[in-house]
Amino acid sequence: MALVFSKYHGLGNDFVLIDNRDKTVPILTSKQASLLCDRHFGIGADGVIFLLPGDSESDYTMRIFNSDGSEPEMCGNGIRCLAQFIADLENRTKEISYRINTLAGIITTNLEQPGLITVDMGSPLLNGEQIPVSGYGTGRIINQPLFVENKTWLVTCVSMGNPHCVTFVDNVDDIALELIGPSFENHSAFPKRINTEFIEIIQPDRIKMRVWERGAGITLACGTGACASVVAGVLTERTKRRCKVDLPGGQLEIYWSENDQKVYMSGPCQKVFIGELCGLPPE
């Protein structure tokens, strides 16, 4: 069967989006999703996202696969792209909110204007067993040592519905991300693997970030990672609660509210093209 899809990106973090509100498209296997993401033999993307019907508490459901075929709980850039995808399908150009069901719970998105989405990311989880992280007890993991690749790093761990390990460095460009990223992701301290953010403080309301994403590797942007990094910056008294995050693909604005303890992410997303795959990849 032919597969109609749309390609969107949020700061270069790109996704194949498939409208499956009527459930006529079979959910791909992990192998098929990985093949679609292949930049030489498939469409090319950091992930595949299915738009599915909602339930009594949500407008829609999001199901996402990473480029390695794994299924994460949530994706910040992905859900912004999905919200814009929905608005485009509904021909919406004015401000509108959607409640989207994810494996991390219901996430509320708000279309501020075409191409600009603000997401209520909910409250961060900070205790070790919630993230999850092993070997540090049940409390918060703030500036704790982690031995990776013959070096001890000070890490702060946060869950934004998916697990993150944040470490602050003098210069993010000096990090050999392609070498050290896999060692963080698969470290024994992280039973569900981990997303890892390397953060350089530019000033208290602006940071620079590079990321190794669990299941996707080096990406140009990571929305949940940007949120986790600002939370870690506040916890370690390095940043303000409202902070700009410079990523290789562009900039996100993150705000960790002191009033409701929720994290709000604002950033762009863009449709790249619409296409049709002649047939489903082999299972």
Side-chain angles (χ1 to χ4, degrees):
M1 64 173 291
L3 181 68
V4 177
F5 66 89
S6 296
K7 180 79 175 289
Y8 283 67
H9 79 86
L11 301 181
N13 196 193
D14 56 343
F15 303 93
V16 172
L17 290 114
I18 298 169
D19 180 10
N20 201 17
R21 290 172 295 176
D22 58 6
K23 293 188 176 181
T24 59
V25 180
I27 299 295
L28 303 180
T29 65
S30 293
K31 179 182 177 182
Q32 288 175 316
S34 184
L35 286 171
L36 281 189
C37 291
D38 190 287
R39 299 188 185 277
H40 299 286
F41 298 100
I43 299 166
D46 292 320
V48 177
I49 298 175
F50 282 88
L51 173 62
L52 295 161
D55 53 27
S56 60
E57 297 182 350
S58 63
D59 301 308
Y60 297 101
T61 297
M62 168 185 177
R63 190 166 180 190
I64 178 170
F65 293 90
N66 287 322
S67 58
D68 71 348
S70 60
E71 191 169 358
E73 299 88 347
M74 231 288 284
C75 174
N77 286 318
I79 203 165
R80 286 204 327 278
C81 289
L82 182 64
Q84 184 63 58
F85 180 54
I86 296 167
D88 290 342
L89 290 172
E90 296 180 350
N91 294 313
R92 306 274 191 174
T93 58
K94 296 182 179 180
E95 185 173 343
I96 187 170
S97 294
Y98 299 110
R99 288 172 55 79
I100 299 174
N101 191 23
T102 75
L103 291 180
I106 294 176
I107 305 294
T108 301
T109 66
N110 189 63
L111 175 72
E112 306 284 352
Q113 62 188 53
L116 179 63
I117 307 289
T118 294
V119 184
D120 174 354
M121 300 289 287
S123 299
L125 301 177
L126 302 175
N127 292 331
E129 74 275 13
Q130 297 173 308
I131 296 171
V133 182
S134 61
Y136 292 89
T138 59
R140 295 182 176 187
I141 301 163
I142 301 173
N143 275 339
Q144 292 299 305
L146 182 73
F147 192 71
V148 181
E149 292 291 332
N150 299 314
K151 178 180 176 179
T152 298
W153 306 75
L154 294 180
V155 302
T156 299
C157 297
V158 177
S159 172
M160 292 303 310
N162 57 353
H164 292 269
C165 172
V166 181
T167 185
F168 295 90
V169 298
D170 292 333
N171 188 333
V172 293
D173 295 326
D174 290 341
I175 300 297
L177 199 52
E178 69 282 357
L179 299 178
I180 200 146
S183 297
F184 270 90
E185 178 182 355
N186 298 291
H187 195 283
S188 58
F190 309 119
K192 292 187 176 180
R193 299 187 294 161
I194 202 82
N195 301 282
T196 308
E197 288 76 37
F198 298 87
I199 303 299
E200 176 183 342
I201 303 294
I202 306 300
Q203 51 196 39
D205 62 353
R206 186 176 178 185
I207 62 177
K208 185 177 180 181
M209 168 179 148
R210 292 180 68 202
V211 59
W212 178 274
E213 288 199 55
R214 177 188 61 168
I218 298 174
T219 60
L220 296 178
C222 176
T224 55
C227 294
S229 296
V230 172
V231 170
V234 173
L235 292 175
T236 59
E237 300 182 346
R238 288 179 167 94
T239 69
K240 296 180 178 180
R241 285 180 172 266
R242 191 180 298 275
C243 199
K244 291 181 171 61
V245 182
D246 294 338
L247 302 124
Q251 189 178 82
L252 291 171
E253 292 194 12
I254 308 298
Y255 173 49
W256 185 18
S257 171
E258 195 166 12
N259 292 329
D260 61 14
Q261 292 300 307
K262 292 183 177 181
V263 181
Y264 297 87
M265 171 187 64
S266 296
C269 52
Q270 182 178 345
K271 181 192 292 184
V272 182
F273 61 84
I274 298 172
E276 182 175 300
L277 198 68
C278 295
L280 293 178
E283 296 187 23

